[in-house]
Amino acid sequence: MNTHKLFRRSRIRLALWYAVVMGVILSLSGLGMYRALIRSNWKALEREIESIAGTLHDSLEPMLPASGDPVVILQQIFPELCLSGQSCHVSASLIRRHTIGISDRSTYYIRLFDYRGKLLAFSPNQPAQIPNRLNSTSWQTIRASDGARYRQFTTILHGADVNFAENNSTSWGYLQIGRTLASFDAETRRINIILAVGFPIALGLVAASSWWLSGLAMQPIYQSYQQQQQFTANAAHELRSPLASLLATVEALLRVPPSERENINMMLDTIERQGRRLSNLISDLLLLSSLEQNTVSKPFQVCCLNDLICDLSEEFLELAIASNIQLYSSVPEHLIYVLGNEQQLYRLVSNLIANAIQYTPSGGSVRIDLKQHDLTAVIAVKDTGIGIPPGEKSRIFERFYRVDSDRSRKTGGTGLGLAIVRAIAQVHKAQLSVESEPGRGSIFTLQLAIHAFKADSSQIKLPN
Ligand code: ADP
């Protein structure tokens, strides 16, 4: 397929389209998954901060002093917090106590502000150079001077005495809980790396599978194109031989003196024979193409198979006698009807009988049987002829295929007989089978659905 320019170009174009469409779908779904993953990590992180802040908030509020210097009381509540303006001992045990169940406790820090936003206390692991001014926005993301990022949550603390007089408000101050985003950023980087490496690999696989899939999709088209080409070549070949012989005879005829009347008659016979052969071939080709395109407009009628078999055995009797072949036929006493095109069914069975006689040597026999099995009519054409080699059985229904082309041509066969048989069987949704043993004979069997015949012919049903 790849050696043929048109098919190679079509395959490339198809593969490109596949790759683009699959690439876009893959990119969009990858992007969606990436965003969902980052978002869920971010939400989980915020929920964690919020729950720690909530726990601390609830345990702190009842202990907050209503008045006086809060620093002294804070020192009692949080002995391990560093107080603003005093020297600080580094310890993370406070956070540890309030964040039981959180795996990485050293990542959190606490800051406490008074209601004016003045920093009162902070945990020793708070990021360096973080501003001491309060920013009361609930959620903030801070970037420290070393580039590390922190997510911070601020909540209002209310004093035990809600009428806290000194600040004319209900707020005692603010609690700030923050955590480093190092693990989140590391996770995001890891996902980015996986995507950066995985995405080109996935795209490469998409491209390779697109090439393979486009090959698969083109295969039947290429096969049918090859068959078409083969058919054209065969048809041209079949037409050339009788035409060449016809032209040669005409040339010879022109050279024969008018006195040799006998020779002229012989040559005219040859011309007529070759002309008839050409005409048969062309009408067979036309019939085949109309059958394959299903353009035969004649509607199906009820056909009596008993009559069809009797007519055909009568018609072929003369040929059988001339070939010294015994021709038998048997039909049941009751009439068997099928729905179909009578002319086509006639042609189908006559092709089978003609072949049976043609490929049976002198002294042999041919049997035509019509039987009924349940709702199926079975026509079997059996001969004691040369048979068909097992490897050829599947090919004999191909157009112009012959097992022994020389012999077949001599008998006047066009190589289209069984192709027409198969096409008519398909149009009638009939089953066609062949059993054969070389040297012993062949049986061609046709199975057709029986039509439940009604006296009122207006009720004829067409097959689905
Ligand atoms: P042809 O016109 O050559 O007979 P067909 O399409 O009718 O073409 O048959 C195809 C080939 O199948 C024949 O060339 C012949 O070799 C084989 N064939 C068909 N019918 C028989 C048969 N009854 N016995 C043996 N060979 C057969």
Side-chain angles (χ1 to χ4, degrees), residues 104-298:
D104 188 5
R105 290 152 190 155
S106 61
T107 52
Y108 289 87
Y109 63 83
I110 301 177
R111 304 205 308 162
L112 275 163
F113 295 86
D114 68 7
Y115 67 93
R116 289 189 203 92
K118 182 175 164 241
L119 182 67
L120 296 175
F122 56 90
S123 58
N125 61 335
Q126 73 159 11
Q129 291 164 0
I130 188 171
N132 282 345
R133 271 178 298 104
L134 170 75
N135 180 343
S136 59
T137 320
S138 298
W139 286 103
Q140 295 163 61
T141 305
I142 300 162
R143 188 178 285 278
S145 53
D146 60 357
R149 297 197 314 145
Y150 296 86
R151 187 75 174 150
Q152 178 174 282
F153 179 66
T154 307
T155 178
I156 298 175
L157 287 171
H158 298 281
D161 176 3
V162 286
N163 300 316
F164 194 56
E166 218 181 312
N167 59 4
N168 290 330
S169 81
T170 56
S171 148
W172 181 93
Y174 297 88
L175 168 71
Q176 234 173 30
I177 298 285
R179 67 156 287 172
T180 168
L181 289 177
S183 61
F184 173 82
D185 286 343
E187 181 66 14
T188 309
R189 262 196 306 280
R190 206 168 61 87
I191 296 172
N192 285 344
I193 291 170
I194 290 173
L195 279 181
V197 175
F199 196 65
I201 293 176
L203 277 186
L205 288 174
V206 161
S209 57
S210 300
W211 181 248
W212 177 67
L213 282 175
S214 61
L216 277 189
M218 299 287 296
Q219 202 63 40
I221 304 169
Y222 184 62
Q223 266 170 9
S224 116
Y225 170 80
Q226 273 185 322
Q227 276 170 8
Q228 209 58 43
Q229 274 200 328
Q230 185 66 44
F231 173 71
T232 315
N234 286 341
H237 182 75
E238 291 296 328
L239 288 168
R240 198 180 54 183
S241 326
L243 257 180
S245 143
L246 212 127
L247 288 173
T249 318
V250 171
E251 256 174 52
L253 190 64
L254 288 173
R255 273 188 249 117
V256 176
S259 54
E260 291 180 29
R261 182 79 210 154
E262 208 176 297
N263 278 345
I264 293 175
N265 280 351
M266 245 170 61
M267 284 171 178
L268 284 174
D269 273 355
T270 312
I271 292 175
E272 201 226 339
R273 212 176 44 251
Q274 295 298 349
R276 208 175 285 283
R277 197 169 155 208
L278 263 179
S279 154
N280 283 346
L281 182 63
I282 290 166
S283 53
D284 276 3
L285 277 174
L286 285 174
L287 172 67
L288 199 56
S289 94
S290 71
L291 282 169
E292 284 176 353
Q293 289 169 22
N294 217 348
T295 52
V296 183
S297 54
K298 226 173 155 195

Side-chain angles (χ1 to χ4, degrees), residues 351-352 355-360 383 385-388 396-398 400-405 408-409 411-419 436 441-442 444:
N351 276 10
L352 292 179
N355 274 351
I357 295 174
Q358 258 172 32
Y359 298 105
T360 300
D383 64 59
I386 57 170
I388 302 157
I396 54 171
F397 295 97
E398 287 175 19
F400 296 117
Y401 188 80
R402 296 165 171 125
V403 177
D404 177 355
S405 35
S408 179
R409 262 201 202 89
T411 56
T414 57
L416 292 174
L418 287 182
S436 186
S442 319
F444 284 81

